[in-house]
Amino acid sequence: MFGLSFNKVAGNSMFPRLKSGNFVLLSEHFDRRGLKAGDIIKLLHPRYGYIVKTLVGVDHAGRFWFKGENKQSVGIDDIGPIEASQIKSKVIFVLG
């Protein structure tokens, strides 16, 4: 509704920033060109489906690179480059 949604965090791939059981408020309305390293983003990955990861940076080709916060999470190389169309929403608030 209004481009906002709540999702419950499942798993520890983003620990300690996000803990399993936290709720995140996501917005679909944001400027993808204004994203910066450290932003928490929900994206649609071709292998992993919908995942929430931290933006590491944008390369010279305009592709986005992400990582999990936990050492046990999927690594930046496993996630690979992400196109802007795969970025679905941005975490704007964490509850819990």
Side-chain angles (χ1 to χ4, degrees):
M1 181 154 120
F2 305 112
L4 297 173
S5 62
F6 268 108
N7 284 172
K8 186 175 184 178
V9 176
N12 290 311
S13 70
M14 290 292 290
F15 183 82
R17 283 186 82 185
L18 301 176
K19 298 173 184 80
S20 189
N22 284 156
F23 285 90
V24 291
L25 178 61
L26 299 140
S27 174
E28 296 175 7
H29 302 293
F30 61 94
D31 181 7
R32 283 158 178 75
R33 295 169 296 175
L35 292 174
K36 60 188 181 310
D39 286 341
I40 303 174
I41 303 296
K42 181 178 179 179
L43 58 105
L44 180 55
H45 192 275
R47 181 174 174 193
Y48 302 112
Y50 284 103
I51 55 176
V52 174
K53 298 296 177 196
T54 300
L55 178 63
V56 175
V58 183
D59 66 20
H60 65 279
R63 298 173 303 182
F64 297 81
W65 292 85
F66 292 88
K67 69 171 186 165
E69 294 291 326
N70 190 308
K71 291 182 205 176
Q72 306 302 321
S73 179
V74 176
I76 188 172
D77 293 327
D78 293 321
I79 295 171
I82 299 297
E83 301 295 330
S85 63
Q86 294 172 264
I87 295 173
K88 300 305 178 187
S89 52
K90 178 181 178 181
V91 173
I92 58 174
F93 186 76
V94 178
L95 179 63

